[in-house]
Amino acid sequence: MTPRPERHVLVCTNQRPDGPDAMPSCGANGSTEVLSAFLRERAAAGSMRSIYITQCLCLGVCPERGATVVIYPEGTWYVGVEAQDVAEICREHVVGGRAVDRLVDCRYR
Ligand code: FES
């Protein structure tokens, strides 16, 4: 049986079609780079082997910049995550268990 993951990271990679009335989407804001950064951090750190990383479609908050990322089991929502934020999120939250407050969406604390 597969062991339960220590943490599960969901990264929205939803991409909406371009257009003058298009809503923002994580895919248009570089979320594939965010997803790649999480995968690279996991590959580089043996301590993150029990971390699941899953790309998903729209989570409903659709930021103007960056991507939406949710981390379980805490259920912490990060909004506006950019690739350069991922190392800090991994070090502080995924490994250390402490949310990165400056990126947490206050609606989902
Ligand atoms: S497009 Fe990512 S949260 Fe909606």
Side-chain angles (χ1 to χ4, degrees):
M1 187 161 105
T2 305
R4 278 177 74 151
E6 194 176 322
R7 290 215 160 68
H8 191 169
V9 179
L10 302 177
V11 179
C12 172
T13 57
N14 188 52
Q15 174 84 50
R16 290 198 173 85
D18 289 335
D21 299 324
M23 284 180 58
S25 65
C26 298
N29 296 342
S31 64
T32 53
E33 287 82 8
V34 172
L35 175 65
S36 295
F38 273 108
L39 295 171
R40 275 195 309 275
E41 289 287 332
R42 182 177 64 181
S47 60
M48 290 177 60
R49 286 190 203 284
S50 65
I51 305 303
Y52 288 5
I53 299 169
T54 304
Q55 69 182 108
C56 64
L57 295 178
C58 182
L59 291 161
V61 294
C62 313
E64 293 287 338
R65 65 167 186 80
T68 302
V69 173
V70 184
I71 300 181
Y72 290 100
E74 293 86 0
T76 303
W77 286 62
Y78 292 102
V79 176
V81 175
E82 296 182 342
Q84 64 264 24
D85 301 318
V86 171
E88 180 181 7
I89 292 171
C90 288
R91 183 181 65 248
E92 295 298 320
H93 188 156
V94 176
V95 174
R98 298 173 299 274
V100 179
D101 286 339
R102 69 181 178 84
L103 294 169
V104 173
D105 188 312
C106 61
R107 294 170 292 181
Y108 301 97
R109 284 188 188 271

